[in-house]
Amino acid sequence: MTASEIPKHPAEIFFSSNHPISSYVSVRFVGVEDHVLTVALEAPGAFVENEATGEVHSGLATLILDTVLGGAVMGEMEKIQPIATVGLTTQHMRRAVKGEALLCKARFEGIHHDMAHMSGKLLNAETGETLSTATGTFMLGTRSKPLGARL
């Protein structure tokens, strides 16, 4: 099988698409090894909360962790289907700084009763320092129409 014939990971397709998150954050698919999806990004100026220090809002870490954990879920499914975040718990050790090179790693922990269980970390790409951690649960096979459209 040639490189062009190898199917892309769903997260790689997602991060290269015109998804609204791409307007604010440039996320690059790095790869998957042993059920761990890794992506790279740079802390963007759009999330700067403190101009004096360059610190970005902790919501960036939460957004990236939720998105990457979800992308990792999609890559573990035998058949792609809609998913929804049911629970996400984040812990922040420190905020990223504008321009800081970051890695986000999402580990697939398993599926039980149509719920995927995940864990993840947002790291400084150069030092490996953990900035934030997360655990998440994702429902598999959710409806494609939002609740409001069904009422």
Side-chain angles (χ1 to χ4, degrees):
M1 187 177 277
T2 67
S4 63
E5 295 173 319
I6 298 172
K8 287 187 175 186
H9 188 280
E12 185 175 11
I13 295 166
F14 177 73
F15 293 126
S16 64
S17 71
N18 289 329
H19 190 277
I21 194 174
S22 301
S23 301
Y24 301 99
V25 182
S26 179
V27 179
R28 183 177 51 84
F29 177 85
V30 174
V32 178
E33 186 176 324
D34 195 28
H35 301 285
V36 177
L37 166 65
T38 302
V39 302
L41 65 141
E42 187 175 287
F47 285 83
V48 169
E49 182 177 66
N50 184 330
E51 291 293 335
T53 64
E55 286 181 324
V56 300
H57 192 281
S58 60
L60 171 70
T62 302
L63 173 67
I64 293 300
L65 284 159
D66 184 38
T67 303
V68 176
L69 268 62
V73 169
M74 298 293 272
E76 293 289 338
M77 295 167 47
E78 289 182 22
K79 178 183 170 212
I80 299 293
Q81 55 186 320
I83 65 170
T85 306
V86 175
L88 182 72
T89 301
T90 57
Q91 301 292 323
H92 307 292
M93 276 54 82
R94 79 160 173 87
R95 295 168 187 243
V97 177
K98 178 183 174 183
E100 183 174 8
L102 304 170
L103 291 175
C104 186
K105 294 184 174 277
R107 175 180 296 283
F108 173 75
E109 304 292 352
I111 295 175
H112 183 71
H113 293 299
D114 293 328
M115 302 288 267
H117 299 269
M118 306 294 296
S119 62
K121 292 182 179 184
L122 184 66
L123 311 160
N124 175 288
E126 294 178 21
T127 66
E129 174 192 7
T130 300
L131 278 64
S132 299
T133 62
T135 56
T137 309
F138 295 80
M139 182 184 299
L140 308 179
T142 60
R143 295 181 186 202
S144 59
K145 288 185 179 179
L147 181 60
R150 293 191 315 251
L151 297 177

